[in-house]
Amino acid sequence: MSHAPLGVAFIGGGFMADVHSRAARAAGARIVGVTSSSPAGSRVAADRIGADVAFDDVDALLADPAIDVVHVVTPNATHHELTTRVLAAGKHVVCEKPLATTVADALDLEQRAAAAGVVATVPFVYRFHPMVREARARVAAGQVGQLFSVQGAYLQDWLLAADDDNWRVSTEAGGASRAFADIGSHLCDLLEFVTGDRLARVQALTSTVFAERASTGPVHTEDLAGVLAQTHAGAVVSLLVSQVAPGRKNGLVLELHGATESLRFEQERPEELWIGARTGSRAHLRNNDELHPDAARLAVLPPGHPLGYQDAFTAFAADTYAAVRGTHPEGLPVFADGVRAARITDAVLASARKGTWSEL
Ligand code: SOE
């Protein structure tokens, strides 16, 4: 492959187009263009993200040979149709999570991407914090020991009021699950990524705190979910996912308890990994000389210069683009991981509906 910058474009002009385009630019790509819900919207988005071209529609964008990678950053229910068109155009693709609103659609996209022979990734970006990779490396090296239990949470408050609303609340635009599909998917991806174990069965409760919301009308998606689970290796898992937890803004927390040590990662304090032990528990602050290689490669700034959410997104984009150029970066979240998230979401909703365990 030439080392000219990759040309990237965005389908969708909202908040995630901003995050993705900042990451793409920092990862060395050329921001060729963007298309949104209308030609006027495309022009507004192009000005805001600094794209060369405001494409009138998806077809015009996909016809541009200067575009190597397309980022799909639209509401969930459009992912399957738009990503299918991107793959048919032979472009590499980044599709926001959830990959699709059903397991069947997610599986279809995984199969189409494999048939097209392109790179197809999903931004489970919390994998890209160096201290997450450090936790994963400690587990893999046996420093945690046999995994006994996992406690996890992903708590936000942006939908706390009855007049808070968003397309994610609507079943038609967001899919059957909201809180769990939107942020529980990150939590479960991180749990399985760090532990190397897999959820085997789940028992779930969901709750919808407002029967109606401002612009959605009647609400059929959950504001929060509680999940009890067991992993294939037998660990007991307890998870809480909520978008109505006052004061919690992006409170993703994962804590593992093993025979030898515990580990705790908090997304809002990403430079630190708490290491618990019978004696000598400590807050392990990122120090590049002490990191395992896969964590060190993501530590692009010296200690004491905090790496955060946007840096993790940049690392995800950089690894996606490296894969487009033919390398195989460790831990890249691909469409198979999007299918996994869809399966877990399905199992959680089924369990909440039936009141019994769902097997995975
Ligand atoms: C809203 O819940 C949201 O933007 C999610 O959609 C993202 O995946 C998460 O990283 C932050 O919160």
Side-chain angles (χ1 to χ4, degrees):
M1 294 281 289
S2 80
H3 279 279
L6 291 174
V8 305
F10 306 88
I11 301 178
F15 158 66
M16 289 316 279
D18 294 78
V19 173
H20 280 246
S21 58
R22 279 196 293 265
R25 187 172 281 114
R30 182 163 75 85
I31 312 300
V32 174
V34 58
T35 191
S36 187
S37 47
S38 68
S42 299
R43 285 191 294 277
V44 167
D47 290 347
R48 198 181 69 245
I49 70 173
D52 298 341
V53 180
F55 290 101
D56 281 352
D57 55 39
V58 171
D59 285 336
L61 183 150
L62 294 179
D64 189 330
I67 296 169
D68 302 298
V69 186
V70 176
H71 293 239
V72 176
V73 287
T74 53
N76 303 345
T78 65
H79 290 179
H80 179 258
E81 186 252 337
L82 290 173
T83 304
T84 296
R85 293 167 63 185
V86 171
L87 293 170
K91 307 288 188 183
H92 302 281
V93 64
V94 175
C95 180
E96 257 297 340
K97 35 56 57 187
L99 176 59
T101 54
T102 66
V103 172
D105 282 354
L107 270 172
D108 180 57
L109 289 178
E110 182 191 17
Q111 287 154 8
R112 288 175 185 271
V118 296
V119 172
T121 62
V122 181
F124 286 121
V125 293
Y126 300 116
R127 295 184 179 197
F128 290 84
H129 286 295
M131 299 315 276
V132 166
R133 297 291 172 121
E134 186 65 14
R136 182 175 186 244
R138 292 185 75 93
V139 172
Q143 290 169 272
V144 172
Q146 181 193 347
L147 188 64
F148 293 155
S149 55
V150 179
Q151 192 177 43
Y154 198 153
L155 306 178
Q156 300 177 331
D157 68 2
W158 65 290
L159 288 171
L160 183 61
D163 58 359
D164 290 327
D165 214 334
N166 178 270
W167 58 261
R168 290 175 178 81
V169 178
S170 148
T171 305
E172 292 68 35
S177 168
R178 183 213 330 150
F180 193 86
D182 185 27
I183 55 176
S185 55
H186 277 298
L187 178 57
C188 291
D189 176 75
L190 206 61
L191 186 161
E192 295 191 335
F193 180 69
V194 170
T195 64
D197 200 348
R198 304 269 276 185
L199 299 178
R201 58 194 198 121
V202 297
Q203 172 91 46
L205 279 175
T206 58
S207 170
T208 299
V209 299
F210 299 114
E212 298 255 340
R213 280 185 183 267
S215 52
T216 298
V219 176
H220 304 293
T221 57
E222 79 283 1
D223 289 300
L224 64 109
V227 178
L228 181 64
Q230 188 163 37
T231 70
H232 281 303
V236 174
V237 177
S238 163
L239 305 175
L240 181 64
V241 173
S242 173
Q243 294 175 321
V244 290
R248 293 298 182 197
K249 301 308 177 184
N250 204 35
L252 168 59
V253 177
L254 184 69
E255 183 167 319
L256 319 178
H257 313 109
T260 310
E261 72 181 25
S262 297
L263 298 176
R264 178 182 180 90
F265 175 79
E266 298 183 14
Q267 189 274 145
E268 293 181 8
R269 300 165 60 92
E271 291 283 81
E272 177 181 317
L273 180 66
W274 178 75
I275 300 174
R278 279 290 285 269
T279 56
S281 296
R282 67 192 193 281
H284 186 49
L285 293 177
R286 175 171 65 86
N287 183 357
N288 297 5
D289 303 337
E290 299 171 323
L291 295 175
H292 285 76
D294 191 40
R297 76 177 181 88
L298 296 174
V300 296
L301 289 174
H305 299 65
L307 291 166
Y309 172 81
Q310 189 66 56
D311 300 294
F313 234 107
T314 297
F316 161 74
D319 275 8
T320 293
Y321 302 158
V324 169
R325 294 192 189 284
T327 67
H328 302 282
E330 174 63 28
L332 186 65
V334 294
F335 275 17
D337 300 297
V339 171
R340 179 65 182 165
R343 290 192 190 285
I344 295 173
T345 299
D346 245 28
V348 163
L349 286 192
S351 171
R353 204 170 36 246
K354 299 177 303 182
T356 60
W357 287 93
S358 286
E359 302 298 318
L360 270 162

